[in-house]
Amino acid sequence: MRLALLGIAALTIPMISPARAEQVGEIGVDWAGNDIILEAIEDPEVEGVTCHLAYFERGLIDRLANGNWFEDPSNSAIECQQTGPITIGDIDRSEDGEDVFRASRSIIFKTLRVKRILDADRNTLVYISHGRELSQGSAKVSISTVPIPTDISQK
């Protein structure tokens, strides 16, 4: 029993994110306390690129009314842009790309993720925000691209 409780506790600890998000805005959308949160995320492996991620966060009244205490929707939107000279570090260059950011969206098994994929043929960084769940994937995705100047430096 004790081992099972430790396992559940470990799963409920917020996931460590590769990048740190800084909240830059919060928009109240209704009387139930639901908000749209806006965060800035600097890509830890690509200097000079900042993404702004918006997502929905349910309020206490909404949680009480709907009975779903431990989960927020997977909805998100992302926009990324060059905010300084771009320097590309040691990034994953595979088709799968790599996580730039992730955050828990439920007590267990549901995360909001931002992945970066390098489209080398088009000299473009592609950022995708999406929800990831254990049993069902989410079709709710948002995409943003950042062109890579031809004179960028590699770390």
Side-chain angles (χ1 to χ4, degrees):
M1 176 72 166
R2 184 179 176 112
L3 185 58
L5 289 174
L6 286 173
I8 290 170
L11 291 172
T12 61
I13 295 172
M15 296 181 69
I16 296 172
S17 176
R20 213 174 46 99
E22 175 187 344
Q23 184 171 323
V24 295
E26 182 174 330
I27 302 163
V29 295
D30 59 25
W31 62 269
N34 295 316
D35 296 321
I36 295 172
I37 307 297
L38 178 62
E39 295 181 335
I41 302 165
E42 294 182 3
D43 188 327
E45 292 295 330
V46 181
E47 286 181 32
V49 173
T50 303
C51 297
H52 288 89
L53 179 68
Y55 58 89
F56 188 82
E57 187 173 77
R58 295 175 50 231
L60 179 61
I61 295 171
D62 187 7
R63 291 177 192 277
L64 287 170
N66 292 311
N68 189 345
W69 283 86
F70 305 110
E71 187 172 20
D72 280 314
S74 299
N75 305 17
S76 66
I78 191 166
E79 182 62 36
C80 303
Q81 65 181 355
Q82 181 177 352
T83 53
I86 292 180
T87 304
I88 297 178
D90 184 24
I91 66 172
D92 184 333
R93 295 172 183 267
S94 71
E95 283 186 359
D96 290 340
E98 66 185 309
D99 283 342
V100 174
F101 173 81
R102 64 180 178 261
S104 178
R105 300 301 289 152
S106 73
I107 196 162
I108 53 174
F109 303 129
K110 184 176 182 183
T111 58
L112 173 63
R113 293 180 178 217
V114 174
K115 290 194 82 141
R116 174 198 339 96
I117 296 174
L118 174 64
D119 181 350
D121 291 344
R122 289 159 196 82
N123 229 20
T124 302
L125 294 167
V126 181
Y127 293 86
I128 299 170
S129 68
H130 68 96
R132 180 158 186 198
E133 300 179 38
L134 179 66
S135 61
Q136 296 178 333
S138 175
K140 300 170 186 170
V141 298
S142 182
I143 186 171
S144 183
T145 60
V146 177
I148 303 170
T150 56
D151 61 340
I152 62 115
S153 61
Q154 304 273 331
K155 281 187 181 179

